[in-house]
Amino acid sequence: MKKNIISFSILTIIYFLIKILLDIGIIDSYLQLNIFLIGINIILAVGLNLITGFTGQFSLGHAAFMSIGAYTSAVFTAKLGQPFIVSILVSGVIAAFAGILIGIPTLRLKGDYLAIATLGFGEIVRIIALNIDYIGGAIGFNDIPQYTNWTWIFMITVATVFLIKHFINSYHGRACIAIREDEIAAEAMGINTTFYKVLAFAIGAFFAGVAGSLYANYFYFIKPDSFGFMKSIDILVIVVFGGMGSIEGSILGAILLSIISLFLQGIPELRMVVYSVVLFAIMVYKPAGLLGKGEFKLWKKGAKRNVSIESK
C-alpha cells in the first residue's frame, strides 16, 4: 500500500512538473515532440513485449497495428467529426480485431516463419493504405485535428503500463509466460495455448492501435511509409534493448533510445552509425537487454520477479 502511494505520488509530480514546464514555455516544441514520442514508444514497446517478451511470439508486424489505429483515428476525427476519446477506443478495438484475424492463422507458426508471416501482414496493410484514395493513398492523410496533448499521452501511457503489468501478474499472464517457457508442457498442463497466444496478440495490437491514434492526432499528417518495416524494427529494438520480458525494461529502453537519438540529431551524417554502435555494444556486453527479465519492485508491496527468474 505504501509503495503504491509512493508510485502514485511520483507519477503525479512528473505529470504536473512537465505540464507546468510546457505551459510556461521552458520545454520548447522540439523537446515536447521528443517527450510525446517517448510516451508513444513506451505504449508500443510494452504492447510488443507482451507478445514477444512474455508470450514468446516473434512479431515483425507491430507497426501495421499502429497504422490501422492511426488511419482509423484520422478518419473518425477528420472526416466523421467524432470525439477524440471515441476515436482512441475505436482505433484500439479495430487494431485488436485485426490482431485476432491475423493471429488465428499465423500463430500456428513459430520462430522465423511467424516473423515472416507478420512481416508480410505489415506489407499488406501498407500496400492497402497506398491504394485507398479515401485516406489519401500514397500522398498521405492531411489536416488531422491535433487533439493529442500531454494529458492524453501521460494518462494513456500510465494506463497501458498499469493494465499490462496487472495482466502479466494474473493467471492469464502466467499462462502466457508458461507458453514462452515451454509450449508443449503448458499445453500438457491444460493451458489453451492458441487462445492465450491470440489473446496476447490482440492486447498488444489494441495498444498499438491506441498509440497510432495518439500519433496521428499529434502530427496532423500520416502516410503509409511512416508505418513500414523499419518502424516495426524500431519498436523491436526498444524491447530487446530494454530487456525481453521486462515491462520496466521497455520503459527504460524507450526513454534511453529516444534520448540517444535526440543527442545524435546534431550530427545527422553519423547519427545512424553511432546509434548502431551503441546498440551493438549493448547487445555484446548485455545480451539480455538492460534489465534482462528483471522487474523493479515499485508497483506494489511484495511484487515478485517473473516466473522464469523465480525458477532459477
Side-chain angles (χ1 to χ4, degrees), residues 123-154:
E123 284 301 296
I124 291 170
V125 171
R126 190 179 69 83
I127 296 300
I128 290 175
L130 276 172
N131 289 280
I132 298 178
D133 293 335
Y134 181 72
I135 55 174
I139 298 174
F141 199 129
N142 293 295
D143 300 326
I144 303 170
Q146 191 184 44
Y147 291 139
T148 302
N149 56 28
W150 167 240
T151 300
W152 281 113
I153 289 285
F154 182 82

mmCIF file of all heavy atoms in Angstrom, residues 123-154:
data_model
loop_
_atom_site.group_PDB
_atom_site.id
_atom_site.type_symbol
_atom_site.label_atom_id
_atom_site.label_comp_id
_atom_site.label_asym_id
_atom_site.label_seq_id
_atom_site.Cartn_x
_atom_site.Cartn_y
_atom_site.Cartn_z
ATOM 1 N N GLU A 123 3.276 -5.510 -44.627
ATOM 2 C CA GLU A 123 3.376 -5.012 -46.003
ATOM 3 C C GLU A 123 1.997 -4.969 -46.670
ATOM 4 O O GLU A 123 1.702 -4.066 -47.450
ATOM 5 C CB GLU A 123 4.329 -5.907 -46.802
ATOM 6 C CG GLU A 123 5.782 -5.671 -46.485
ATOM 7 C CD GLU A 123 6.209 -4.222 -46.744
ATOM 8 O OE1 GLU A 123 6.166 -3.780 -47.906
ATOM 9 O OE2 GLU A 123 6.560 -3.542 -45.774
ATOM 10 N N ILE A 124 1.142 -5.952 -46.363
ATOM 11 C CA ILE A 124 -0.216 -5.947 -46.919
ATOM 12 C C ILE A 124 -0.974 -4.703 -46.469
ATOM 13 O O ILE A 124 -1.617 -4.017 -47.275
ATOM 14 C CB ILE A 124 -0.972 -7.230 -46.487
ATOM 15 C CG1 ILE A 124 -0.373 -8.445 -47.186
ATOM 16 C CG2 ILE A 124 -2.462 -7.111 -46.800
ATOM 17 C CD1 ILE A 124 -0.893 -9.770 -46.654
ATOM 18 N N VAL A 125 -0.894 -4.386 -45.181
ATOM 19 C CA VAL A 125 -1.577 -3.195 -44.654
ATOM 20 C C VAL A 125 -1.032 -1.939 -45.321
ATOM 21 O O VAL A 125 -1.792 -1.029 -45.704
ATOM 22 C CB VAL A 125 -1.405 -3.120 -43.126
ATOM 23 C CG1 VAL A 125 -1.917 -1.791 -42.590
ATOM 24 C CG2 VAL A 125 -2.134 -4.273 -42.456
ATOM 25 N N ARG A 126 0.287 -1.862 -45.489
ATOM 26 C CA ARG A 126 0.889 -0.678 -46.108
ATOM 27 C C ARG A 126 0.444 -0.511 -47.560
ATOM 28 O O ARG A 126 0.097 0.601 -47.986
ATOM 29 C CB ARG A 126 2.420 -0.782 -46.042
ATOM 30 C CG ARG A 126 3.164 0.486 -46.442
ATOM 31 C CD ARG A 126 4.665 0.299 -46.316
ATOM 32 N NE ARG A 126 5.182 -0.629 -47.319
ATOM 33 C CZ ARG A 126 5.483 -0.282 -48.575
ATOM 34 N NH1 ARG A 126 5.332 0.976 -48.960
ATOM 35 N NH2 ARG A 126 5.948 -1.176 -49.411
ATOM 36 N N ILE A 127 0.412 -1.619 -48.300
ATOM 37 C CA ILE A 127 0.010 -1.548 -49.714
ATOM 38 C C ILE A 127 -1.472 -1.182 -49.844
ATOM 39 O O ILE A 127 -1.865 -0.407 -50.730
ATOM 40 C CB ILE A 127 0.286 -2.906 -50.416
ATOM 41 C CG1 ILE A 127 1.776 -3.209 -50.428
ATOM 42 C CG2 ILE A 127 -0.272 -2.888 -51.838
ATOM 43 C CD1 ILE A 127 2.630 -2.190 -51.140
ATOM 44 N N ILE A 128 -2.304 -1.720 -48.958
ATOM 45 C CA ILE A 128 -3.733 -1.356 -48.979
ATOM 46 C C ILE A 128 -3.892 0.147 -48.735
ATOM 47 O O ILE A 128 -4.651 0.833 -49.436
ATOM 48 C CB ILE A 128 -4.507 -2.170 -47.915
ATOM 49 C CG1 ILE A 128 -4.581 -3.639 -48.332
ATOM 50 C CG2 ILE A 128 -5.913 -1.604 -47.725
ATOM 51 C CD1 ILE A 128 -5.210 -4.551 -47.293
ATOM 52 N N ALA A 129 -3.175 0.672 -47.731
ATOM 53 C CA ALA A 129 -3.254 2.107 -47.443
ATOM 54 C C ALA A 129 -2.772 2.950 -48.628
ATOM 55 O O ALA A 129 -3.317 4.028 -48.903
ATOM 56 C CB ALA A 129 -2.430 2.432 -46.194
ATOM 57 N N LEU A 130 -1.783 2.453 -49.349
ATOM 58 C CA LEU A 130 -1.260 3.185 -50.515
ATOM 59 C C LEU A 130 -2.291 3.301 -51.635
ATOM 60 O O LEU A 130 -2.244 4.242 -52.439
ATOM 61 C CB LEU A 130 -0.012 2.465 -51.061
ATOM 62 C CG LEU A 130 1.335 2.765 -50.399
ATOM 63 C CD1 LEU A 130 2.406 1.828 -50.944
ATOM 64 C CD2 LEU A 130 1.729 4.222 -50.621
ATOM 65 N N ASN A 131 -3.238 2.373 -51.673
ATOM 66 C CA ASN A 131 -4.158 2.318 -52.815
ATOM 67 C C ASN A 131 -5.582 2.725 -52.476
ATOM 68 O O ASN A 131 -6.492 2.509 -53.292
ATOM 69 C CB ASN A 131 -4.151 0.893 -53.388
ATOM 70 C CG ASN A 131 -2.849 0.566 -54.095
ATOM 71 O OD1 ASN A 131 -2.639 0.951 -55.244
ATOM 72 N ND2 ASN A 131 -1.946 -0.113 -53.392
ATOM 73 N N ILE A 132 -5.805 3.280 -51.306
ATOM 74 C CA ILE A 132 -7.145 3.767 -50.947
ATOM 75 C C ILE A 132 -7.127 5.297 -50.968
ATOM 76 O O ILE A 132 -6.522 5.934 -50.104
ATOM 77 C CB ILE A 132 -7.584 3.245 -49.567
ATOM 78 C CG1 ILE A 132 -7.659 1.716 -49.583
ATOM 79 C CG2 ILE A 132 -8.946 3.827 -49.192
ATOM 80 C CD1 ILE A 132 -8.050 1.112 -48.246
ATOM 81 N N ASP A 133 -7.780 5.881 -51.942
ATOM 82 C CA ASP A 133 -7.770 7.343 -52.085
ATOM 83 C C ASP A 133 -8.507 8.041 -50.945
ATOM 84 O O ASP A 133 -8.205 9.192 -50.615
ATOM 85 C CB ASP A 133 -8.407 7.726 -53.432
ATOM 86 C CG ASP A 133 -7.557 7.278 -54.611
ATOM 87 O OD1 ASP A 133 -6.323 7.134 -54.422
ATOM 88 O OD2 ASP A 133 -8.119 7.053 -55.698
ATOM 89 N N TYR A 134 -9.492 7.373 -50.353
ATOM 90 C CA TYR A 134 -10.284 7.990 -49.279
ATOM 91 C C TYR A 134 -9.417 8.401 -48.094
ATOM 92 O O TYR A 134 -9.695 9.393 -47.412
ATOM 93 C CB TYR A 134 -11.351 6.984 -48.818
ATOM 94 C CG TYR A 134 -12.260 7.503 -47.733
ATOM 95 C CD1 TYR A 134 -13.236 8.466 -48.007
ATOM 96 C CD2 TYR A 134 -12.137 7.024 -46.427
ATOM 97 C CE1 TYR A 134 -14.065 8.939 -47.001
ATOM 98 C CE2 TYR A 134 -12.964 7.500 -45.411
ATOM 99 C CZ TYR A 134 -13.925 8.448 -45.707
ATOM 100 O OH TYR A 134 -14.748 8.920 -44.700
ATOM 101 N N ILE A 135 -8.327 7.668 -47.865
ATOM 102 C CA ILE A 135 -7.421 8.006 -46.757
ATOM 103 C C ILE A 135 -6.108 8.615 -47.277
ATOM 104 O O ILE A 135 -5.099 8.614 -46.591
ATOM 105 C CB ILE A 135 -7.122 6.772 -45.884
ATOM 106 C CG1 ILE A 135 -6.562 5.614 -46.714
ATOM 107 C CG2 ILE A 135 -8.377 6.332 -45.153
ATOM 108 C CD1 ILE A 135 -6.119 4.416 -45.884
ATOM 109 N N GLY A 136 -6.162 9.112 -48.503
ATOM 110 C CA GLY A 136 -5.022 9.856 -49.029
ATOM 111 C C GLY A 136 -4.075 9.083 -49.918
ATOM 112 O O GLY A 136 -3.231 9.674 -50.599
ATOM 113 N N GLY A 137 -4.160 7.771 -49.917
ATOM 114 C CA GLY A 137 -3.274 6.963 -50.757
ATOM 115 C C GLY A 137 -1.811 7.248 -50.490
ATOM 116 O O GLY A 137 -1.398 7.463 -49.348
ATOM 117 N N ALA A 138 -1.025 7.270 -51.571
ATOM 118 C CA ALA A 138 0.420 7.496 -51.431
ATOM 119 C C ALA A 138 0.740 8.919 -50.979
ATOM 120 O O ALA A 138 1.820 9.176 -50.423
ATOM 121 C CB ALA A 138 1.113 7.198 -52.757
ATOM 122 N N ILE A 139 -0.194 9.860 -51.215
ATOM 123 C CA ILE A 139 0.055 11.259 -50.836
ATOM 124 C C ILE A 139 0.035 11.427 -49.324
ATOM 125 O O ILE A 139 0.741 12.248 -48.753
ATOM 126 C CB ILE A 139 -1.007 12.177 -51.482
ATOM 127 C CG1 ILE A 139 -0.905 12.074 -52.995
ATOM 128 C CG2 ILE A 139 -0.827 13.628 -51.042
ATOM 129 C CD1 ILE A 139 -1.989 12.833 -53.733
ATOM 130 N N GLY A 140 -0.782 10.619 -48.679
ATOM 131 C CA GLY A 140 -0.888 10.718 -47.223
ATOM 132 C C GLY A 140 -2.179 11.384 -46.794
ATOM 133 O O GLY A 140 -2.910 11.951 -47.599
ATOM 134 N N PHE A 141 -2.474 11.305 -45.512
ATOM 135 C CA PHE A 141 -3.705 11.847 -44.929
ATOM 136 C C PHE A 141 -3.359 13.177 -44.251
ATOM 137 O O PHE A 141 -2.589 13.221 -43.307
ATOM 138 C CB PHE A 141 -4.257 10.858 -43.893
ATOM 139 C CG PHE A 141 -5.703 11.049 -43.564
ATOM 140 C CD1 PHE A 141 -6.583 9.983 -43.614
ATOM 141 C CD2 PHE A 141 -6.205 12.284 -43.192
ATOM 142 C CE1 PHE A 141 -7.931 10.135 -43.311
ATOM 143 C CE2 PHE A 141 -7.540 12.462 -42.889
ATOM 144 C CZ PHE A 141 -8.406 11.380 -42.934
ATOM 145 N N ASN A 142 -3.949 14.288 -44.761
ATOM 146 C CA ASN A 142 -3.621 15.617 -44.257
ATOM 147 C C ASN A 142 -4.725 16.138 -43.330
ATOM 148 O O ASN A 142 -5.834 15.604 -43.264
ATOM 149 C CB ASN A 142 -3.452 16.596 -45.421
ATOM 150 C CG ASN A 142 -2.248 16.260 -46.259
ATOM 151 O OD1 ASN A 142 -1.118 16.334 -45.798
ATOM 152 N ND2 ASN A 142 -2.479 15.856 -47.497
ATOM 153 N N ASP A 143 -4.397 17.254 -42.683
ATOM 154 C CA ASP A 143 -5.369 18.038 -41.888
ATOM 155 C C ASP A 143 -6.069 17.223 -40.818
ATOM 156 O O ASP A 143 -7.282 17.337 -40.617
ATOM 157 C CB ASP A 143 -6.407 18.681 -42.823
ATOM 158 C CG ASP A 143 -5.769 19.605 -43.834
ATOM 159 O OD1 ASP A 143 -4.766 20.236 -43.488
ATOM 160 O OD2 ASP A 143 -6.277 19.685 -44.970
ATOM 161 N N ILE A 144 -5.323 16.395 -40.118
ATOM 162 C CA ILE A 144 -5.874 15.646 -38.986
ATOM 163 C C ILE A 144 -5.886 16.587 -37.771
ATOM 164 O O ILE A 144 -4.876 17.231 -37.474
ATOM 165 C CB ILE A 144 -5.006 14.403 -38.674
ATOM 166 C CG1 ILE A 144 -4.903 13.522 -39.929
ATOM 167 C CG2 ILE A 144 -5.604 13.607 -37.522
ATOM 168 C CD1 ILE A 144 -3.883 12.401 -39.789
ATOM 169 N N PRO A 145 -7.021 16.698 -37.080
ATOM 170 C CA PRO A 145 -7.054 17.598 -35.901
ATOM 171 C C PRO A 145 -6.030 17.202 -34.854
ATOM 172 O O PRO A 145 -5.839 16.017 -34.587
ATOM 173 C CB PRO A 145 -8.485 17.395 -35.362
ATOM 174 C CG PRO A 145 -9.267 16.820 -36.494
ATOM 175 C CD PRO A 145 -8.303 16.015 -37.307
ATOM 176 N N GLN A 146 -5.378 18.211 -34.263
ATOM 177 C CA GLN A 146 -4.357 17.920 -33.240
ATOM 178 C C GLN A 146 -5.008 17.903 -31.861
ATOM 179 O O GLN A 146 -5.084 18.917 -31.168
ATOM 180 C CB GLN A 146 -3.229 18.948 -33.269
ATOM 181 C CG GLN A 146 -2.052 18.506 -32.406
ATOM 182 C CD GLN A 146 -0.953 19.544 -32.332
ATOM 183 O OE1 GLN A 146 -1.221 20.726 -32.169
ATOM 184 N NE2 GLN A 146 0.286 19.102 -32.446
ATOM 185 N N TYR A 147 -5.449 16.731 -31.470
ATOM 186 C CA TYR A 147 -6.078 16.559 -30.163
ATOM 187 C C TYR A 147 -5.107 16.009 -29.119
ATOM 188 O O TYR A 147 -5.350 16.119 -27.924
ATOM 189 C CB TYR A 147 -7.264 15.600 -30.272
ATOM 190 C CG TYR A 147 -8.435 16.147 -31.050
ATOM 191 C CD1 TYR A 147 -9.143 15.339 -31.944
ATOM 192 C CD2 TYR A 147 -8.855 17.463 -30.886
ATOM 193 C CE1 TYR A 147 -10.223 15.829 -32.649
ATOM 194 C CE2 TYR A 147 -9.934 17.965 -31.601
ATOM 195 C CZ TYR A 147 -10.613 17.147 -32.477
ATOM 196 O OH TYR A 147 -11.680 17.634 -33.181
ATOM 197 N N THR A 148 -4.043 15.387 -29.581
ATOM 198 C CA THR A 148 -3.111 14.773 -28.635
ATOM 199 C C THR A 148 -2.339 15.841 -27.866
ATOM 200 O O THR A 148 -1.711 16.710 -28.459
ATOM 201 C CB THR A 148 -2.115 13.860 -29.383
ATOM 202 O OG1 THR A 148 -2.837 12.862 -30.090
ATOM 203 C CG2 THR A 148 -1.166 13.195 -28.406
ATOM 204 N N ASN A 149 -2.425 15.786 -26.561
ATOM 205 C CA ASN A 149 -1.657 16.707 -25.717
ATOM 206 C C ASN A 149 -0.967 15.915 -24.604
ATOM 207 O O ASN A 149 -1.039 14.679 -24.568
ATOM 208 C CB ASN A 149 -2.561 17.808 -25.143
ATOM 209 C CG ASN A 149 -3.740 17.220 -24.379
ATOM 210 O OD1 ASN A 149 -3.642 16.114 -23.846
ATOM 211 N ND2 ASN A 149 -4.855 17.933 -24.340
ATOM 212 N N TRP A 150 -0.313 16.615 -23.700
ATOM 213 C CA TRP A 150 0.466 15.950 -22.652
ATOM 214 C C TRP A 150 -0.428 15.099 -21.755
ATOM 215 O O TRP A 150 -0.057 14.003 -21.343
ATOM 216 C CB TRP A 150 1.222 16.997 -21.837
ATOM 217 C CG TRP A 150 1.803 16.465 -20.559
ATOM 218 C CD1 TRP A 150 1.540 16.883 -19.287
ATOM 219 C CD2 TRP A 150 2.754 15.390 -20.420
ATOM 220 N NE1 TRP A 150 2.246 16.142 -18.374
ATOM 221 C CE2 TRP A 150 2.999 15.223 -19.034
ATOM 222 C CE3 TRP A 150 3.407 14.552 -21.324
ATOM 223 C CZ2 TRP A 150 3.871 14.259 -18.545
ATOM 224 C CZ3 TRP A 150 4.282 13.580 -20.828
ATOM 225 C CH2 TRP A 150 4.499 13.447 -19.462
ATOM 226 N N THR A 151 -1.630 15.586 -21.470
ATOM 227 C CA THR A 151 -2.540 14.839 -20.589
ATOM 228 C C THR A 151 -2.916 13.500 -21.214
ATOM 229 O O THR A 151 -2.882 12.455 -20.541
ATOM 230 C CB THR A 151 -3.801 15.659 -20.304
ATOM 231 O OG1 THR A 151 -3.429 16.885 -19.668
ATOM 232 C CG2 THR A 151 -4.755 14.898 -19.390
ATOM 233 N N TRP A 152 -3.247 13.525 -22.500
ATOM 234 C CA TRP A 152 -3.594 12.271 -23.177
ATOM 235 C C TRP A 152 -2.404 11.308 -23.182
ATOM 236 O O TRP A 152 -2.549 10.115 -22.896
ATOM 237 C CB TRP A 152 -4.030 12.540 -24.614
ATOM 238 C CG TRP A 152 -5.438 13.032 -24.745
ATOM 239 C CD1 TRP A 152 -5.850 14.274 -25.153
ATOM 240 C CD2 TRP A 152 -6.641 12.298 -24.468
ATOM 241 N NE1 TRP A 152 -7.212 14.354 -25.133
ATOM 242 C CE2 TRP A 152 -7.730 13.162 -24.725
ATOM 243 C CE3 TRP A 152 -6.898 11.003 -24.010
ATOM 244 C CZ2 TRP A 152 -9.059 12.763 -24.556
ATOM 245 C CZ3 TRP A 152 -8.221 10.610 -23.838
ATOM 246 C CH2 TRP A 152 -9.276 11.473 -24.115
ATOM 247 N N ILE A 153 -1.232 11.827 -23.550
ATOM 248 C CA ILE A 153 -0.033 10.980 -23.624
ATOM 249 C C ILE A 153 0.268 10.350 -22.268
ATOM 250 O O ILE A 153 0.485 9.133 -22.151
ATOM 251 C CB ILE A 153 1.186 11.814 -24.089
ATOM 252 C CG1 ILE A 153 1.058 12.194 -25.581
ATOM 253 C CG2 ILE A 153 2.493 11.044 -23.856
ATOM 254 C CD1 ILE A 153 1.316 11.079 -26.547
ATOM 255 N N PHE A 154 0.262 11.190 -21.231
ATOM 256 C CA PHE A 154 0.632 10.701 -19.895
ATOM 257 C C PHE A 154 -0.380 9.676 -19.391
ATOM 258 O O PHE A 154 -0.005 8.594 -18.925
ATOM 259 C CB PHE A 154 0.726 11.886 -18.929
ATOM 260 C CG PHE A 154 1.140 11.491 -17.533
ATOM 261 C CD1 PHE A 154 2.481 11.306 -17.224
ATOM 262 C CD2 PHE A 154 0.194 11.287 -16.539
ATOM 263 C CE1 PHE A 154 2.867 10.931 -15.950
ATOM 264 C CE2 PHE A 154 0.570 10.901 -15.269
ATOM 265 C CZ PHE A 154 1.909 10.729 -14.964
#
